[in-house]
């Protein structure tokens, strides 16, 4: 690794772990965080969770696992070029979606609606809950006992109410301070990854076309370049070559603009980072272009009627499961059974943890096991 900038997250300025542990041998604290995330059960389940398309709809579509790996790749490249800590950028990227429900945003909206009377459901907060509490792998503590800066990066957004309950970790939301530059990178790497892979997956699915996309400036520029340079190129390769160039442009622009922002601000320490506004950013013109692409995807892909039908089904499955487990908690598997003295709100949180942890196909199967009349006697 190249030498770190003085304002990068490092082992010298970390606020450490909640439960004290000996320093790791042969790897850094943040490499240890990354390794713990990769070995977690929640990380493996990302393989069977929807990004946009339900997991079994096609073998080539992104899942949350491949999405998270793409985010980590982009974040590491950017961190390295800015002399920031690649390892923590990677750890945050790999963990950022651990709390996602099955069925993507439709699943999150459905679970949030179910949890309305019990404090709501927010996937960012759930990712933190997974690494702080829900993973049961270590003898000495619940969760993964990650470093403060990794947990801070995972908690991208947070309401003031929730922030007030999170102690040190919630402070920045109450006092309008920034997270580390590495956390800011992971956040924007997420956007770069999904905007671009959703173009690719959307085209592959046939729900959007290249002609439609040619109305979006960011796509149009690169599409024209590719078609001019390679007039005979088959359509699939035109798509890959165009998307590749889009990612390159966004990553290069982000690096240049962020370098300028950091230079102007004259940072010396990580405290300077926390006191500054967000410094990892696109230049305004590229930002416009990337927002236009985002808007296009929302209108033409995420709200496509076939995606909406899938979302409606997903909401039905999640709503049904939540309601029946709340009505009769004896239907929950033994390890999820609430304690006798739990309040209704605690019980709802346990049910939400159980549902959020499900993969798409597990949720579908669980729904069938409980509701399908043709599944008599009950299957396992
Ligand atoms: Mg993501």
């Amino acid at each position: 690794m190249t030498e770190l900038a003085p304002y990068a997250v490092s082992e010298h300025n970390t606020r450490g772990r909640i439960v004290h542990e000996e320093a790791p041998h042969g790897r850094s604290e943040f490499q240890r965080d990354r390794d713990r995330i990769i070995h977690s059960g929640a990380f493996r389940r990302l393989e069977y969770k929807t990004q946009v398309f339900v997991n079994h709809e096609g073998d080539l579509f992104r899942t949350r696992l491949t999405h998270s790996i793409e985010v980590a790749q982009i974040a590491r490249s950017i961190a390295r070029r800015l002399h920031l800590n690649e390892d923590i950028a990677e750890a945050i990227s790999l963990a950022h979606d651990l709390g996602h429900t099955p069925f993507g945003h439709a699943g999150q909206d459905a679970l949030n609606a179910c949890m309305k009377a019990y404090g709501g459901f927010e996937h960012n907060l759930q990712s933190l809950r997974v690494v702080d509490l829900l993973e049961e792998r270590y003898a000495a503590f619940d969760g993964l006992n990650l470093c403060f800066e990794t947990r801070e990066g995972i908690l991208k957004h947070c309401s003031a109410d929730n922030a007030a309950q999170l102690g040190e970790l919630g402070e920045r939301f109450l006092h309008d301070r920034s997270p580390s530059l590495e956390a800011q990178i992971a956040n924007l790497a997420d956007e770069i990854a999904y905007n671009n892979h959703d173009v690719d997956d959307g085209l592959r699915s046939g729900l959007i076309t290249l002609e439609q996309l040619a109305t979006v400036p960011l796509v149009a520029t690169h599409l024209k370049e590719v078609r001019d340079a390679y007039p005979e190129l088959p359509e699939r390769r035109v798509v890959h070559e165009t998307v590749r160039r889009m990612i390159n442009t966004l990553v290069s622009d982000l690096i240049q603009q962020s370098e300028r922002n950091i230079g102007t601000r004259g940072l010396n320490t990580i405290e300077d980072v926390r006191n500054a506004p967000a410094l990892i950013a696109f230049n305004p013109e590229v930002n416009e272009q990337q927002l236009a692409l985002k808007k296009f995807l929302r209108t033409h892909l995420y709200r496509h009627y076939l995606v909406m039908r899938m979302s409606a089904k997903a909401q039905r499955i999640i709503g049904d499961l939540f309601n029946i487990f709340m009505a009769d908690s004896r239907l929950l598997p033994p390890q999820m059974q609430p304690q006798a003295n739990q309040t209704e709100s605690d019980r709802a949180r346990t049910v939400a943890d159980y549902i959020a942890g499900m993969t798409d196909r597990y949720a579908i199967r669980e729904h069938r096991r409980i509701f399908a009349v043709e599944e008599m006697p009950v299957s396992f």
Side-chain angles (χ1 to χ4, degrees):
M1 203 195 283
T2 49
E3 206 183 322
L4 288 183
Y7 43 81
V9 172
S10 76
E11 289 174 307
H12 309 295
N13 60 28
T14 176
R15 297 189 194 173
R17 304 173 190 277
I18 292 178
V19 178
H20 174 77
E21 294 183 64
E22 293 296 316
H25 298 292
R27 55 180 174 169
S28 74
E29 293 285 1
F30 302 105
Q31 286 169 346
R32 172 152 75 180
D33 279 6
R34 174 203 57 206
D35 298 348
R36 285 183 177 178
I37 290 158
I38 289 176
H39 288 279
S40 70
F43 184 71
R44 282 196 298 284
R45 288 200 294 265
L46 294 176
E47 184 176 2
Y48 299 104
K49 290 193 181 199
T50 291
Q51 185 64 29
V52 173
F53 298 92
V54 174
N55 165 254
H56 57 255
E57 285 182 328
D59 290 350
L60 281 173
F61 293 129
R62 268 69 172 190
T63 65
R64 287 220 174 263
L65 181 65
T66 54
H67 161 70
S68 301
I69 294 171
E70 289 184 25
V71 175
Q73 180 272 316
I74 292 171
R76 286 185 57 164
S77 307
I78 299 168
R80 190 180 316 135
R81 288 276 305 276
L82 294 175
H83 301 282
L84 297 167
N85 192 324
E86 271 182 62
D87 295 323
I88 184 170
E90 181 182 23
I92 295 169
S93 302
L94 293 176
H96 84 284
D97 271 351
L98 288 180
H100 240 295
T101 60
F103 311 121
H105 284 278
Q108 129 102 23
D109 292 348
L111 196 52
N112 187 30
C114 294
M115 288 293 288
K116 201 157 181 247
Y118 312 104
F121 178 89
E122 214 281 301
H123 72 86
N124 261 297
L125 218 48
Q126 189 69 10
S127 297
L128 188 67
R129 210 169 142 75
V130 168
V131 301
D132 278 358
L133 194 68
L134 298 178
E135 281 290 321
E136 295 177 334
R137 317 182 67 79
Y138 299 90
F141 44 79
D142 287 338
L144 307 179
N145 196 34
L146 303 179
C147 293
F148 174 87
E149 294 75 14
T150 309
R151 298 169 59 237
E152 172 198 51
I154 292 173
L155 193 65
K156 227 179 345 188
H157 323 282
C158 185
S159 67
D161 280 356
N162 286 325
Q165 295 170 29
L166 286 170
E168 204 186 1
L169 205 61
E171 268 170 27
R172 75 179 165 96
F173 299 98
L174 301 172
H175 305 296
D176 206 18
R177 301 181 77 216
S178 296
S180 69
L181 294 174
E182 288 83 348
Q184 297 177 36
I185 288 174
N187 188 8
L188 287 173
D190 186 22
E191 283 201 22
I192 295 175
Y194 69 68
N195 281 325
N196 286 284
H197 66 48
D198 289 353
V199 166
D200 186 33
D201 283 353
L203 288 167
R204 185 187 302 282
S205 70
L207 300 187
I208 52 174
T209 64
L210 260 185
E211 278 51 53
Q212 279 178 307
L213 268 165
T215 62
V216 180
L218 184 64
V219 184
T221 323
H222 296 294
L223 184 59
K224 184 171 183 316
E225 264 176 30
V226 174
R227 282 196 166 143
D228 288 350
Y230 304 95
E232 305 294 322
L233 202 64
E235 191 87 341
R236 259 333 285 173
R237 279 175 71 169
V238 169
V239 173
H240 291 314
E241 187 63 34
T242 304
V243 170
R244 182 181 82 76
R245 289 168 187 232
M246 284 160 55
I247 296 178
N248 233 330
T249 298
L250 292 169
V251 168
S252 310
D253 176 77
L254 191 74
I255 292 168
Q256 282 168 15
Q257 184 63 40
S258 305
E259 252 168 1
R260 271 198 293 274
N261 295 349
I262 292 169
T264 315
R265 189 80 194 183
L267 301 176
N268 289 312
T269 67
I270 187 147
E271 269 314 293
D272 295 344
V273 172
R274 295 185 194 285
N275 290 326
L279 297 174
I280 302 295
F282 297 108
N283 89 42
E285 195 190 319
V286 172
N287 195 40
E288 283 285 302
Q289 292 190 5
Q290 120 115 354
L291 289 176
L293 172 60
K294 220 169 157 170
K295 196 170 159 213
F296 173 92
L297 289 170
R298 195 167 50 234
T299 315
H300 298 279
L301 182 60
Y302 310 144
R303 292 189 187 148
H304 190 287
Y305 85 100
L306 291 174
V307 175
M308 295 303 289
R309 284 184 183 187
M310 189 278 286
S311 301
K313 229 181 245 188
Q315 296 199 347
R316 165 95 188 272
I317 292 175
I318 291 204
D320 283 351
L321 288 174
F322 184 85
N323 291 335
I324 202 159
F325 291 137
M326 282 305 282
D328 189 348
S329 57
R330 291 170 304 177
L331 301 179
L332 286 164
Q335 72 277 15
M336 301 307 292
Q337 292 279 340
Q339 315 289 320
N341 58 355
Q342 273 190 326
T343 62
E344 187 178 324
S345 186
D346 289 342
R347 210 147 45 84
R349 190 58 59 191
T350 307
V351 171
D353 285 341
Y354 180 46
I355 293 175
M358 292 178 185
T359 60
D360 294 358
R361 59 186 193 176
Y362 184 91
I364 293 168
R365 242 185 272 143
E366 186 74 335
H367 190 268
R368 200 182 303 139
R369 279 192 288 254
I370 295 174
F371 292 99
V373 280
E374 56 276 19
E375 296 244 350
M376 289 292 244
V378 173
S379 62
F380 293 96

